[in-house]
Amino acid sequence: MEISKKTFVREYTRAIWDGTAAIFAGAGTSRESGFVNWKELLRPMSEEIKLDIEKENDYLAVAQYYKDASRSRGAINQSIMDCFSNGVTENEKVEILARLPISTYWTTNYDELIEDALKRNNRKVDVKMDSDQLAMVRPDRDAVVYKMHGDVNHAARAVLTKEDYMFYEKNRPLFRTLLKSDLLTKHFLFVGFSFNDPNIDFIMGQISTFLGENTGTHYWLTTKAQREEGETEEEYRYNLRKQEMKSNELAYYGIKTVYTDTYKEVTEVLRDIERAVKLNNVFISGSADCYGSWTKEAAELLAEKIAAELVKENFRVVSGFGIGIGSSVINGALREIYASKYKHTGKYLTLRPFPQGIKDEAERKATFTKYRTDMIAETGIAIFLFGNKKDSADPEKIINADGCMEEYQIAKKNGNIIIPIGSTGYAAEEILKEIEGDMTSYSYLKKYMGTLKTEKDIDKLVSVIMEIVKEQRS
């Protein structure tokens, strides 16, 4: 069954938000980093036993023939080490997969790209490559990577030959059981995967036998068959039809096919998913030592209502606990969470108070900048209100908050949807005026600028803000 990229992004983003998404990464995800696929790994071995790899479809058999001919697995182990231990180039696909808020990753790859990318993104990873590791849980882990065919650092135990598959259940008990469990309870994205693996066929067949048409929903993101150089029209049409038949077969297992026209477009679709996920996270920036033409009570009510409505519509509120505003944001979010979200606080509210007690000014500034950058990087929308503070040189004087302005610059660089409530004055007003001078980059605000600039009716402001954010998520 084929579905559109837009439908896929919407459905899979929902699964990520619900915490039911998982990734299954095949050899195609490692290609950009310079790693070989199964075919290229076996090419030297096939040549040595005088077989033409271009004429072979059963790569398991080729690996088995080579082992049988050499009467040793040593050369296979060395080949795996040689091919998957070299330096790698940057791989945006893997980086995006590692940044997504997903905790379950499965792969048939021997390389360490996924776990290394997770570590670079400050995520504590628990790698499982042998059955005896399944019973152990790494404390405070953020993600689990199941390497069901082994790892480059343990090449002697890697799954590659037909014999390895025959004895898979004996040598790696529970891996298939665990994968079946995940396939029943999660929504998988298969990426860089060809579905030529006997293990996956076996597992999907068992699930289908047990559940019939009541299987879960999964997705196969792949490039549509292209006409290769030197390929006849008849050969191209044959390959295209074969791919369509594979898609029909996968539909029987609950796997929807998402086609891209080019290999590069796979990365673009993953970017769309990441952006859609971020659009669920709304950063509220603001501070107030003074409320200007607003009363303190009205300002707090505005912040509370914005936060409450965002939570009500299933957005996650992210706050740095700005002075005079932060507590109201938290109150509004918590009130709605406890009223309608089964107390799932972590899902709907992320509170990031700034570090205190840093006396060195340069260190403090650098720390706050990094803190703001990391916090905003998780979000796709940024709302600005008020934004002022007392002048350190003259406490009687109120000035625009430089921290709020820095958050605006970071959000702009991050590509966030920016919503300044200019009617609250101060930094928010300054941001709105800057946006007015460049409306081509903020076309989504065009019909709302008048309201954001002058409106002080709280309900009208909240209504407009919610209209903007829901438009971006649709």
Side-chain angles (χ1 to χ4, degrees):
M1 175 184 176
E2 180 182 352
I3 61 170
S4 69
K5 294 187 286 291
K6 184 176 181 180
T7 299
F8 161 62
V9 170
R10 183 181 67 249
E11 291 182 2
Y12 195 66
T13 300
R14 181 76 256 176
I16 292 174
W17 178 246
D18 289 339
T20 59
I23 296 290
F24 202 115
T29 56
S30 302
R31 193 167 77 179
E32 286 179 28
S33 295
F35 289 131
V36 298
N37 57 21
W38 212 355
K39 180 179 180 179
E40 295 307 316
L41 174 65
L42 293 171
R43 186 180 294 278
M45 302 181 205
S46 67
E47 291 173 354
E48 194 169 331
I49 57 175
K50 295 180 173 55
L51 290 179
D52 185 352
I53 196 67
E54 298 298 337
K55 296 180 180 179
E56 300 295 332
N57 293 316
D58 189 347
Y59 297 146
L60 288 175
V62 173
Q64 188 65 49
Y65 296 155
Y66 180 81
K67 181 187 176 185
D68 292 343
S70 61
R71 299 185 180 278
S72 169
R73 188 187 164 101
I76 293 177
N77 300 340
Q78 190 60 53
S79 181
I80 291 173
M81 290 288 290
D82 292 343
C83 290
F84 296 98
S85 298
N86 299 326
V88 298
T89 56
E90 185 176 344
N91 188 327
E92 188 179 358
K93 286 185 182 65
V94 174
E95 290 297 325
I96 294 172
L97 294 177
R99 288 196 298 263
L100 292 174
I102 292 173
S103 60
T104 303
Y105 296 80
W106 283 83
T107 184
T108 50
N109 299 344
Y110 309 127
D111 60 65
E112 299 178 291
L113 287 178
I114 295 175
E115 51 264 51
D116 287 346
L118 287 165
K119 292 172 187 175
R120 279 194 298 275
N121 284 279
N122 199 32
R123 302 183 66 188
K124 192 173 183 181
V125 59
D126 190 358
V127 179
K128 310 292 188 185
M129 65 187 78
D130 282 313
S131 294
D132 56 6
Q133 296 172 320
L134 296 178
M136 298 181 290
V137 177
R138 188 174 185 183
D140 300 322
R141 67 187 185 186
D142 298 304
V144 186
V145 178
Y146 297 99
K147 307 188 76 168
M148 63 182 299
H149 286 176
D151 179 85
V152 61
N153 297 306
H154 303 274
R157 290 180 55 78
V159 177
L160 181 61
T161 68
K162 186 162 284 190
E163 187 178 43
D164 293 332
Y165 278 88
M166 288 173 57
F167 292 102
Y168 189 88
E169 196 65 33
K170 177 184 176 182
N171 296 332
R172 282 182 164 80
L174 300 181
F175 263 86
R176 282 178 177 169
T177 301
L178 191 55
L179 179 55
K180 279 189 285 187
S181 175
D182 278 352
L183 285 165
L184 287 170
T185 58
K186 301 181 186 297
H187 300 287
F188 272 77
L189 167 59
F190 292 88
V191 58
F193 201 74
S194 63
F195 281 100
N196 291 324
D197 189 283
N199 261 333
I200 304 303
D201 283 349
F202 177 81
I203 291 167
M204 298 304 294
Q206 279 198 321
I207 291 174
S208 180
T209 300
F210 293 147
L211 299 181
E213 296 180 356
N214 299 312
T215 55
T217 301
H218 310 290
Y219 307 91
W220 180 34
L221 180 59
T222 188
T223 302
K224 204 165 192 82
Q226 303 294 310
R227 185 170 179 176
E228 303 293 338
E229 186 177 348
E231 190 176 58
T232 66
E233 179 69 17
E234 185 179 356
E235 288 171 331
Y236 162 62
R237 292 295 174 189
Y238 178 83
N239 290 332
L240 194 63
R241 180 59 181 157
K242 190 175 178 181
Q243 189 179 50
E244 290 172 356
M245 296 300 291
K246 172 60 73 174
S247 177
N248 292 339
E249 178 192 359
L250 293 176
Y252 186 71
Y253 301 134
I255 301 174
K256 299 178 181 180
T257 303
V258 187
Y259 284 121
T260 64
D261 293 325
T262 64
Y263 181 73
K264 182 180 179 182
E265 195 180 345
V266 173
T267 306
E268 294 172 6
V269 174
L270 293 178
R271 287 195 205 114
D272 289 342
I273 293 172
E274 183 176 31
R275 176 171 171 76
V277 169
K278 286 185 175 183
L279 286 172
N280 271 317
N281 301 330
V282 182
F283 176 62
I284 300 181
S285 172
S287 60
D289 271 319
C290 175
Y291 299 96
S293 59
W294 289 68
T295 65
K296 182 176 183 292
E297 291 73 22
E300 290 175 344
L301 184 59
L302 174 64
E304 282 186 21
K305 283 197 169 185
I306 291 172
E309 284 299 309
L310 287 169
V311 170
K312 186 176 181 180
E313 293 296 331
N314 294 318
F315 289 90
R316 175 186 283 122
V317 173
V318 180
S319 172
F321 205 79
I323 188 170
I325 296 296
S327 59
S328 299
V329 169
I330 295 165
N331 289 342
L334 287 176
R335 185 178 71 245
E336 186 61 35
I337 289 169
Y338 275 77
S340 65
K341 303 301 180 183
Y342 306 100
K343 299 183 181 180
H344 293 171
T345 307
K347 184 174 180 178
Y348 297 97
L349 177 63
T350 298
L351 180 59
R352 298 282 296 272
F354 283 82
Q356 302 298 312
I358 304 176
K359 296 180 180 179
D360 182 83
E361 183 62 27
E363 181 186 354
R364 180 179 180 277
K365 181 175 175 56
T367 300
F368 277 29
T369 296
K370 185 180 185 308
Y371 201 80
R372 289 186 171 104
T373 301
D374 291 345
M375 180 165 50
I376 295 171
E378 300 172 2
T379 68
I381 298 173
I383 298 172
F384 296 87
L385 63 163
F386 297 96
N388 66 64
K389 66 177 185 178
K390 293 178 181 178
D391 189 344
S392 57
D394 180 6
E396 297 298 318
K397 183 180 179 182
I398 297 295
I399 59 174
N400 287 352
D402 51 359
C404 189
M405 293 305 298
E406 183 181 35
E407 287 165 0
Y408 162 61
Q409 294 298 332
I410 293 171
K412 186 164 66 169
K413 185 178 180 181
N414 194 52
N416 282 45
I417 296 299
I418 293 171
I419 307 173
I421 308 176
S423 61
T424 60
Y426 307 102
E429 183 178 16
E430 184 178 336
I431 293 168
L432 185 138
K433 287 179 179 177
E434 183 176 318
I435 287 175
E436 275 187 307
D438 183 24
M439 285 304 298
T440 54
S441 300
Y442 303 93
S443 57
Y444 56 87
L445 289 179
K446 192 170 183 180
K447 65 180 180 179
Y448 304 108
M449 288 299 283
T451 301
L452 293 173
K453 189 173 184 178
T454 61
E455 187 60 66
K456 293 188 177 179
D457 183 288
I458 292 173
D459 290 332
K460 288 181 179 179
L461 278 172
V462 173
S463 177
V464 162
I465 290 166
M466 293 310 301
E467 192 172 332
I468 296 170
V469 298
K470 285 192 283 187
E471 281 178 357
Q472 298 305 311
R473 194 170 62 174
S474 64

